[in-house]
Amino acid sequence: MSDVLVVDCVGKAYGERKVLTAASLHCAGGAITALLGRNGAGKSTLLEIAAGWIAADYGLIQFKGERYPRPRLHELATRGVFYLPDHDLLSNAFTIRRHLEIVQRRFGAGSIDDVASITGIANRLDQRPRELSGGELRRAELAVALLRAPECLLADEPYRGIAPHDAETLSHTFRRLASAGCAVVVTGHEVPTLLDAADHIVWCTAGTTYDLGTPADACAEWRFQREYLGSP
Amino acid sequence: MIAPDPLVTRALLRRGAFLWVGTRVLFGFASLLTAGVFGSPSIGVAPHTAIGLACLVGVLGLLEARRRNEHLFLANLGVSQWPIWLISVLPALLGECLIALAIQW
């Protein structure tokens, strides 16, 4: 599996506070990478930098072999990146169906009925985002991502506040995207769900990242166990 | 520069028109309040003021798009913030041109 997106040695500070000092992320096509770490460790910042939503202070970002000194989301999006933020991707000005139609017209792929059926929102298509529950909204956002069929999906805390059944749907959708060759990166604190869904674990701590390998390898790593999982 | 979907463009144009009307009303009130300093208020404004008002409406349109989370959705579609600003400005520019023409007649 080749790396679709490479974030190499990036740093980011907010004023005096250094959130990331030397963080890296290698996103392989066809694999689900889980980015784990404590609150405030810099997971979301790293994902936002990878997506081109915020600028890093230094470091390198490479997408499909091309280097981006100052990547912007709208540039990366045209080449295949889709960034799913931790909240509020969809606008209340449009129904879910309208959002999906906009994506379909823009990228000309997929079927709205198919993605609505896969994500279980077929009966919610004519409602606006504010009328949906948290789980339904997350699935609707994922339906948009699925319809886009990106080459790299960066999902920030997709499982937050989601019921187990909805989490299962989300995991299946991520796996479906990965099976199509997409590099999927997810963050979160839902450790059992993420370890179950991911092929690869990256630990974000103290401003840097550690590539821990498979979930089994990660669970066997004593420092990760002691400092993040908290298990004996 | 990629233009937004026609559906989004229509929504932005409609919003731009409302924002322009609101900005114009506020500008009218401000002119009334400062009539003693700047002279009697009038519907017509100098060209540079009209352009300034249109630019302000564009910025307000951009902020409103951010408030409604449309900028992130549009960025995921490859649309930068410039088209959002530009589309928000159009109704204001059109309105200012119409006012200028009406005053000349």
Side-chain angles (χ1 to χ4, degrees), chain A residues 8 10 12 23-24 51 70 88 92 94 103 132-134 143 202 213 223 225 229-230:
Chain A
D8 195 21
V10 296
K12 178 75 182 172
S24 298
R70 174 69 175 88
D88 298 335
N92 285 316
F94 309 109
V103 174
L132 305 184
S133 71
V202 175
R223 220 180 125 207
Q225 271 192 18
L229 297 177

Side-chain angles (χ1 to χ4, degrees), chain B residues 19-32:
Chain B
L19 286 170
W20 173 69
V21 170
T23 309
R24 260 303 193 155
V25 168
L26 284 175
F27 187 76
F29 273 120
S31 302
L32 276 174

Side-chain angles (χ1 to χ4, degrees), chain A residues 53 73-74 77-78 81-83 85 88-94 98-99 101-103 105-107 144 148, chain B residues 2-3 5-11 14-15 66 68-81:
Chain A
W53 192 236
L73 177 56
H74 67 267
T78 55
V81 169
F82 193 92
Y83 171 55
D88 298 335
L89 172 71
L90 306 179
S91 167
N92 285 316
F94 309 109
R98 290 279 179 261
H99 281 95
E101 283 171 356
I102 290 167
V103 174
R105 273 197 293 272
R106 173 73 180 89
F107 296 105
V144 171
R148 165 68 181 94
Chain B
I2 296 168
D5 185 85
L7 198 70
V8 180
T9 304
R10 276 199 295 275
R14 202 167 40 240
R15 202 178 300 155
R66 278 171 176 253
R68 291 171 182 252
N69 312 315
E70 286 159 2
H71 67 312
L72 185 50
F73 178 66
L74 290 174
N76 268 312
L77 301 180
V79 179
S80 69
Q81 301 204 16

Side-chain angles (χ1 to χ4, degrees), chain B residues 32-81:
Chain B
L32 276 174
L33 290 173
T34 57
V37 182
F38 297 109
S40 59
S42 133
I43 290 177
V45 291
H48 64 271
T49 311
I51 291 168
L53 279 173
C55 290
L56 177 66
V57 168
V59 172
L60 292 175
L62 198 55
L63 291 175
E64 183 62 10
R66 278 171 176 253
R67 196 184 67 81
R68 291 171 182 252
N69 312 315
E70 286 159 2
H71 67 312
L72 185 50
F73 178 66
L74 290 174
N76 268 312
L77 301 180
V79 179
S80 69
Q81 301 204 16

Side-chain angles (χ1 to χ4, degrees), chain A residues 56-94:
Chain A
D57 295 337
Y58 53 86
L60 173 76
I61 288 145
Q62 193 172 306
F63 183 65
K64 291 204 287 185
E66 193 174 331
R67 286 182 178 197
Y68 288 85
R70 174 69 175 88
R72 305 276 184 137
L73 177 56
H74 67 267
E75 288 170 358
L76 295 178
T78 55
R79 297 204 61 207
V81 169
F82 193 92
Y83 171 55
L84 189 62
D86 60 347
H87 60 88
D88 298 335
L89 172 71
L90 306 179
S91 167
N92 285 316
F94 309 109

